[in-house]
Amino acid sequence: RKEVEQDPGPFNVPEGATVAFNCTYSNSASQSFFWYRQDCRKEPKLLMSVYSSGNEDGRFTAQLNRASQYISLLIRDSKLSDSATYLCVVNRYSSASKIIFGSGTRLSIRP
Amino acid sequence: GAVVSQHPSRVICKSGTSVKIECRSLDFQATTMFWYRQFPKQSLMLMATSNEGSKATYEQGVEKDKFLINHASLTLSTLTVTSAHPEDSSFYICSATVTSGGAYEQYFGPGTRLTVT
């Protein structure tokens, strides 16, 4: 079993729809959580950190459920420009030494 | 956000030659940088952790004699792919860590696409 698992998708949704991704992690010692976005043939870019209390940034909402060991990303009112691969990232310890990437979820927004 | 650069962005080399890739933190000092490799339609795989002033820590299955890492300053880490083969063709990405609000955020370089012919 992978340490960080994501549904690879692709998710194909119409513009304006709401879409949600989940990511599960197996190591309960994981400390920090992030969502990254990666466009085709580009480097990943930090989308948002995920805090225990949940956090929102515009149309994006991230939540963490430590008991069930998953994080989620919700995108409201999706735009064509949201089409990308979304990577779940887990920092296993409180140091920077172990950053684990999920394999990514592909999202395609259609007009 | 923090800026990380990589050079070159694209390189084509012949089998058996060596290629050096540079990773620089432009507006901050990075005691730790990471090197990843990404094959098409696959996730990033951590190759090694580069520590300024000490030896790199390699992930299981990554040959340290083939992928030489040097982190000689707080703003520069280099990855040298020695005796490259076609199977080494990949997208190599470096990242550096910035501490923000108690969490560690990774900032990535733009990547280097290596093609070995």
Side-chain angles (χ1 to χ4, degrees), chain A residues 39-59:
Chain A
D39 293 294
C40 188
R41 300 172 75 86
K42 297 287 182 67
E43 78 278 17
K45 295 202 171 168
L46 179 65
L47 181 64
M48 58 198 304
S49 303
V50 187
Y51 303 120
S52 296
S53 55
N55 47 304
E56 188 174 307
D57 183 2
R59 297 182 294 107

Side-chain angles (χ1 to χ4, degrees), chain B residues 47-62:
Chain B
M47 298 176 67
T49 302
S50 172
N51 305 297
E52 188 268 335
S54 65
K55 291 183 179 179
T57 304
Y58 289 82
E59 294 299 301
Q60 193 172 12
V62 178

Side-chain angles (χ1 to χ4, degrees), chain A residues 34 36 38 43 94 96 98 102, chain B residues 34 38 43 59 104 106 109:
Chain A
F34 309 90
Y36 278 75
Q38 186 174 25
E43 78 278 17
S94 58
K98 281 293 183 184
Chain B
F34 301 89
Q38 186 175 36
S43 185
E59 294 299 301
Y104 291 83
Q106 293 277 309

Side-chain angles (χ1 to χ4, degrees), chain B residues 74-91:
Chain B
L74 287 171
T75 59
L76 173 64
S77 174
T78 60
L79 168 69
T80 301
V81 183
T82 62
S83 187
H85 288 103
E87 57 265 32
D88 298 325
S89 299
S90 186
F91 192 44

Side-chain angles (χ1 to χ4, degrees), chain A residues 103 106, chain B residues 38-43:
Chain A
S103 55
R106 285 195 293 135
Chain B
Q38 186 175 36
F39 293 107
K41 298 189 177 180
Q42 294 187 28
S43 185

Side-chain angles (χ1 to χ4, degrees), chain A residues 1-6 24-26 101 103:
Chain A
R1 184 188 172 190
K2 293 180 181 177
E3 189 162 344
V4 178
E5 295 209 60
Q6 292 182 252
T24 58
Y25 60 95
S26 60
F101 280 83
S103 55

